[in-house]
PDB file of all heavy atoms in Angstrom:
ATOM      1  N   LYS A 167       2.973  89.562 268.066  1.00  0.00           N
ATOM      2  CA  LYS A 167       4.132  89.996 268.844  1.00  0.00           C
ATOM      3  C   LYS A 167       3.899  91.377 269.438  1.00  0.00           C
ATOM      4  O   LYS A 167       4.229  91.632 270.601  1.00  0.00           O
ATOM      5  CB  LYS A 167       5.374  90.009 267.951  1.00  0.00           C
ATOM      6  CG  LYS A 167       6.647  90.410 268.677  1.00  0.00           C
ATOM      7  CD  LYS A 167       7.841  90.369 267.737  1.00  0.00           C
ATOM      8  CE  LYS A 167       9.118  90.801 268.476  1.00  0.00           C
ATOM      9  NZ  LYS A 167      10.291  90.801 267.558  1.00  0.00           N
ATOM     10  N   ASP A 168       3.299  92.266 268.649  1.00  0.00           N
ATOM     11  CA  ASP A 168       3.062  93.638 269.113  1.00  0.00           C
ATOM     12  C   ASP A 168       2.047  93.659 270.252  1.00  0.00           C
ATOM     13  O   ASP A 168       2.262  94.288 271.288  1.00  0.00           O
ATOM     14  CB  ASP A 168       2.577  94.491 267.945  1.00  0.00           C
ATOM     15  CG  ASP A 168       2.542  95.972 268.286  1.00  0.00           C
ATOM     16  OD1 ASP A 168       3.289  96.381 269.199  1.00  0.00           O
ATOM     17  OD2 ASP A 168       1.773  96.717 267.656  1.00  0.00           O
ATOM     18  N   VAL A 169       0.940  92.943 270.079  1.00  0.00           N
ATOM     19  CA  VAL A 169      -0.129  92.961 271.077  1.00  0.00           C
ATOM     20  C   VAL A 169       0.330  92.331 272.385  1.00  0.00           C
ATOM     21  O   VAL A 169       0.120  92.890 273.474  1.00  0.00           O
ATOM     22  CB  VAL A 169      -1.381  92.246 270.540  1.00  0.00           C
ATOM     23  CG1 VAL A 169      -2.402  92.062 271.644  1.00  0.00           C
ATOM     24  CG2 VAL A 169      -1.977  93.016 269.382  1.00  0.00           C
ATOM     25  N   LEU A 170       0.958  91.164 272.307  1.00  0.00           N
ATOM     26  CA  LEU A 170       1.373  90.466 273.517  1.00  0.00           C
ATOM     27  C   LEU A 170       2.538  91.162 274.212  1.00  0.00           C
ATOM     28  O   LEU A 170       2.861  90.838 275.356  1.00  0.00           O
ATOM     29  CB  LEU A 170       1.737  89.014 273.193  1.00  0.00           C
ATOM     30  CG  LEU A 170       0.573  88.139 272.708  1.00  0.00           C
ATOM     31  CD1 LEU A 170       1.049  86.718 272.433  1.00  0.00           C
ATOM     32  CD2 LEU A 170      -0.558  88.123 273.718  1.00  0.00           C
ATOM     33  N   GLY A 171       3.155  92.117 273.529  1.00  0.00           N
ATOM     34  CA  GLY A 171       4.223  92.885 274.158  1.00  0.00           C
ATOM     35  C   GLY A 171       3.713  93.916 275.141  1.00  0.00           C
ATOM     36  O   GLY A 171       4.484  94.424 275.957  1.00  0.00           O
ATOM     37  N   TYR A 172       2.435  94.224 275.087  1.00  0.00           N
ATOM     38  CA  TYR A 172       1.834  95.191 276.006  1.00  0.00           C
ATOM     39  C   TYR A 172       1.228  94.470 277.197  1.00  0.00           C
ATOM     40  O   TYR A 172       0.316  93.655 277.044  1.00  0.00           O
ATOM     41  CB  TYR A 172       0.745  96.011 275.314  1.00  0.00           C
ATOM     42  CG  TYR A 172       1.255  97.083 274.383  1.00  0.00           C
ATOM     43  CD1 TYR A 172       1.415  96.843 273.031  1.00  0.00           C
ATOM     44  CD2 TYR A 172       1.579  98.346 274.868  1.00  0.00           C
ATOM     45  CE1 TYR A 172       1.875  97.830 272.166  1.00  0.00           C
ATOM     46  CE2 TYR A 172       2.040  99.347 274.026  1.00  0.00           C
ATOM     47  CZ  TYR A 172       2.192  99.077 272.680  1.00  0.00           C
ATOM     48  OH  TYR A 172       2.650 100.057 271.833  1.00  0.00           O
ATOM     49  N   GLU A 173       1.734  94.789 278.398  1.00  0.00           N
ATOM     50  CA  GLU A 173       1.129  94.217 279.600  1.00  0.00           C
ATOM     51  C   GLU A 173      -0.337  94.626 279.706  1.00  0.00           C
ATOM     52  O   GLU A 173      -1.168  93.876 280.228  1.00  0.00           O
ATOM     53  CB  GLU A 173       1.898  94.684 280.839  1.00  0.00           C
ATOM     54  CG  GLU A 173       1.361  94.141 282.153  1.00  0.00           C
ATOM     55  CD  GLU A 173       2.027  94.770 283.359  1.00  0.00           C
ATOM     56  OE1 GLU A 173       3.200  94.451 283.610  1.00  0.00           O
ATOM     57  OE2 GLU A 173       1.376  95.580 284.039  1.00  0.00           O
ATOM     58  N   LEU A 174      -0.647  95.811 279.199  1.00  0.00           N
ATOM     59  CA  LEU A 174      -2.016  96.321 279.249  1.00  0.00           C
ATOM     60  C   LEU A 174      -2.990  95.408 278.522  1.00  0.00           C
ATOM     61  O   LEU A 174      -4.142  95.267 278.923  1.00  0.00           O
ATOM     62  CB  LEU A 174      -2.047  97.724 278.628  1.00  0.00           C
ATOM     63  CG  LEU A 174      -3.405  98.366 278.378  1.00  0.00           C
ATOM     64  CD1 LEU A 174      -4.123  98.586 279.703  1.00  0.00           C
ATOM     65  CD2 LEU A 174      -3.252  99.669 277.625  1.00  0.00           C
ATOM     66  N   TYR A 175      -2.526  94.782 277.434  1.00  0.00           N
ATOM     67  CA  TYR A 175      -3.432  93.997 276.597  1.00  0.00           C
ATOM     68  C   TYR A 175      -3.283  92.494 276.812  1.00  0.00           C
ATOM     69  O   TYR A 175      -4.223  91.740 276.557  1.00  0.00           O
ATOM     70  CB  TYR A 175      -3.170  94.318 275.122  1.00  0.00           C
ATOM     71  CG  TYR A 175      -3.320  95.782 274.781  1.00  0.00           C
ATOM     72  CD1 TYR A 175      -2.387  96.446 273.988  1.00  0.00           C
ATOM     73  CD2 TYR A 175      -4.400  96.521 275.267  1.00  0.00           C
ATOM     74  CE1 TYR A 175      -2.523  97.793 273.675  1.00  0.00           C
ATOM     75  CE2 TYR A 175      -4.543  97.865 274.971  1.00  0.00           C
ATOM     76  CZ  TYR A 175      -3.597  98.498 274.174  1.00  0.00           C
ATOM     77  OH  TYR A 175      -3.740  99.832 273.877  1.00  0.00           O
ATOM     78  N   ARG A 176      -2.106  92.057 277.276  1.00  0.00           N
ATOM     79  CA  ARG A 176      -1.870  90.624 277.456  1.00  0.00           C
ATOM     80  C   ARG A 176      -2.634  90.112 278.670  1.00  0.00           C
ATOM     81  O   ARG A 176      -2.466  90.600 279.785  1.00  0.00           O
ATOM     82  CB  ARG A 176      -0.364  90.374 277.627  1.00  0.00           C
ATOM     83  CG  ARG A 176       0.021  88.898 277.698  1.00  0.00           C
ATOM     84  CD  ARG A 176       1.524  88.721 277.821  1.00  0.00           C
ATOM     85  NE  ARG A 176       2.069  89.307 279.039  1.00  0.00           N
ATOM     86  CZ  ARG A 176       2.839  90.369 279.092  1.00  0.00           C
ATOM     87  NH1 ARG A 176       3.159  91.021 277.976  1.00  0.00           N
ATOM     88  NH2 ARG A 176       3.291  90.826 280.258  1.00  0.00           N
ATOM     89  N   GLY A 177      -3.474  89.152 278.447  1.00  0.00           N
ATOM     90  CA  GLY A 177      -4.286  88.596 279.529  1.00  0.00           C
ATOM     91  C   GLY A 177      -5.583  89.332 279.751  1.00  0.00           C
ATOM     92  O   GLY A 177      -6.401  88.909 280.562  1.00  0.00           O
ATOM     93  N   THR A 178      -5.774  90.456 279.041  1.00  0.00           N
ATOM     94  CA  THR A 178      -7.027  91.214 279.175  1.00  0.00           C
ATOM     95  C   THR A 178      -7.781  91.244 277.847  1.00  0.00           C
ATOM     96  O   THR A 178      -8.904  90.775 277.758  1.00  0.00           O
ATOM     97  CB  THR A 178      -6.747  92.639 279.657  1.00  0.00           C
ATOM     98  OG1 THR A 178      -5.777  93.256 278.801  1.00  0.00           O
ATOM     99  CG2 THR A 178      -6.218  92.645 281.081  1.00  0.00           C
ATOM    100  N   LEU A 179      -7.138  91.786 276.810  1.00  0.00           N
ATOM    101  CA  LEU A 179      -7.780  91.783 275.485  1.00  0.00           C
ATOM    102  C   LEU A 179      -7.425  90.556 274.680  1.00  0.00           C
ATOM    103  O   LEU A 179      -8.186  90.142 273.801  1.00  0.00           O
ATOM    104  CB  LEU A 179      -7.387  93.047 274.707  1.00  0.00           C
ATOM    105  CG  LEU A 179      -7.898  94.381 275.259  1.00  0.00           C
ATOM    106  CD1 LEU A 179      -7.566  95.503 274.301  1.00  0.00           C
ATOM    107  CD2 LEU A 179      -9.396  94.330 275.525  1.00  0.00           C
ATOM    108  N   VAL A 180      -6.268  89.987 274.948  1.00  0.00           N
ATOM    109  CA  VAL A 180      -5.823  88.775 274.245  1.00  0.00           C
ATOM    110  C   VAL A 180      -5.259  87.806 275.262  1.00  0.00           C
ATOM    111  O   VAL A 180      -4.516  88.207 276.168  1.00  0.00           O
ATOM    112  CB  VAL A 180      -4.746  89.104 273.178  1.00  0.00           C
ATOM    113  CG1 VAL A 180      -4.307  87.838 272.463  1.00  0.00           C
ATOM    114  CG2 VAL A 180      -5.262  90.110 272.178  1.00  0.00           C
ATOM    115  N   ALA A 181      -5.623  86.534 275.146  1.00  0.00           N
ATOM    116  CA  ALA A 181      -5.079  85.518 276.042  1.00  0.00           C
ATOM    117  C   ALA A 181      -3.570  85.431 275.855  1.00  0.00           C
ATOM    118  O   ALA A 181      -3.053  85.612 274.749  1.00  0.00           O
ATOM    119  CB  ALA A 181      -5.733  84.168 275.762  1.00  0.00           C
ATOM    120  N   ALA A 182      -2.847  85.166 276.943  1.00  0.00           N
ATOM    121  CA  ALA A 182      -1.392  85.114 276.869  1.00  0.00           C
ATOM    122  C   ALA A 182      -0.907  84.061 275.890  1.00  0.00           C
ATOM    123  O   ALA A 182       0.156  84.210 275.278  1.00  0.00           O
ATOM    124  CB  ALA A 182      -0.821  84.848 278.258  1.00  0.00           C
ATOM    125  N   ASP A 183      -1.681  82.993 275.707  1.00  0.00           N
ATOM    126  CA  ASP A 183      -1.291  81.953 274.751  1.00  0.00           C
ATOM    127  C   ASP A 183      -1.888  82.181 273.365  1.00  0.00           C
ATOM    128  O   ASP A 183      -1.727  81.347 272.469  1.00  0.00           O
ATOM    129  CB  ASP A 183      -1.690  80.567 275.263  1.00  0.00           C
ATOM    130  CG  ASP A 183      -3.194  80.447 275.488  1.00  0.00           C
ATOM    131  OD1 ASP A 183      -3.933  81.418 275.214  1.00  0.00           O
ATOM    132  OD2 ASP A 183      -3.637  79.368 275.945  1.00  0.00           O
ATOM    133  N   GLY A 184      -2.584  83.295 273.183  1.00  0.00           N
ATOM    134  CA  GLY A 184      -3.111  83.644 271.863  1.00  0.00           C
ATOM    135  C   GLY A 184      -4.329  82.868 271.435  1.00  0.00           C
ATOM    136  O   GLY A 184      -4.740  82.947 270.271  1.00  0.00           O
ATOM    137  N   THR A 185      -4.978  82.148 272.348  1.00  0.00           N
ATOM    138  CA  THR A 185      -6.116  81.305 271.961  1.00  0.00           C
ATOM    139  C   THR A 185      -7.459  82.031 272.025  1.00  0.00           C
ATOM    140  O   THR A 185      -8.475  81.459 271.629  1.00  0.00           O
ATOM    141  CB  THR A 185      -6.198  80.066 272.864  1.00  0.00           C
ATOM    142  OG1 THR A 185      -6.320  80.500 274.224  1.00  0.00           O
ATOM    143  CG2 THR A 185      -4.950  79.200 272.713  1.00  0.00           C
ATOM    144  N   ALA A 186      -7.472  83.258 272.530  1.00  0.00           N
ATOM    145  CA  ALA A 186      -8.751  83.944 272.692  1.00  0.00           C
ATOM    146  C   ALA A 186      -8.544  85.456 272.680  1.00  0.00           C
ATOM    147  O   ALA A 186      -7.453  85.961 272.967  1.00  0.00           O
ATOM    148  CB  ALA A 186      -9.411  83.529 274.010  1.00  0.00           C
ATOM    149  N   ALA A 187      -9.599  86.153 272.310  1.00  0.00           N
ATOM    150  CA  ALA A 187      -9.632  87.617 272.373  1.00  0.00           C
ATOM    151  C   ALA A 187     -10.854  88.022 273.171  1.00  0.00           C
ATOM    152  O   ALA A 187     -11.827  87.266 273.297  1.00  0.00           O
ATOM    153  CB  ALA A 187      -9.676  88.224 270.979  1.00  0.00           C
ATOM    154  N   CYS A 188     -10.798  89.228 273.711  1.00  0.00           N
ATOM    155  CA  CYS A 188     -11.875  89.695 274.569  1.00  0.00           C
ATOM    156  C   CYS A 188     -12.310  91.084 274.127  1.00  0.00           C
ATOM    157  O   CYS A 188     -11.470  91.935 273.805  1.00  0.00           O
ATOM    158  CB  CYS A 188     -11.400  89.725 276.012  1.00  0.00           C
ATOM    159  SG  CYS A 188     -12.731  89.887 277.218  1.00  0.00           S
ATOM    160  N   ILE A 189     -13.601  91.283 274.094  1.00  0.00           N
ATOM    161  CA  ILE A 189     -14.180  92.598 273.828  1.00  0.00           C
ATOM    162  C   ILE A 189     -14.761  93.092 275.150  1.00  0.00           C
ATOM    163  O   ILE A 189     -15.654  92.457 275.708  1.00  0.00           O
ATOM    164  CB  ILE A 189     -15.257  92.530 272.744  1.00  0.00           C
ATOM    165  CG1 ILE A 189     -14.678  91.943 271.453  1.00  0.00           C
ATOM    166  CG2 ILE A 189     -15.840  93.915 272.476  1.00  0.00           C
ATOM    167  CD1 ILE A 189     -15.726  91.604 270.404  1.00  0.00           C
TER     168      ILE A 189
END
Side-chain angles (χ1 to χ4, degrees):
K167 182 179 179 181
D168 190 24
V169 171
L170 295 181
Y172 284 94
E173 180 188 288
L174 171 64
Y175 303 135
R176 185 178 62 249
T178 53
L179 293 187
V180 180
D183 60 2
T185 58
C188 194
I189 303 170

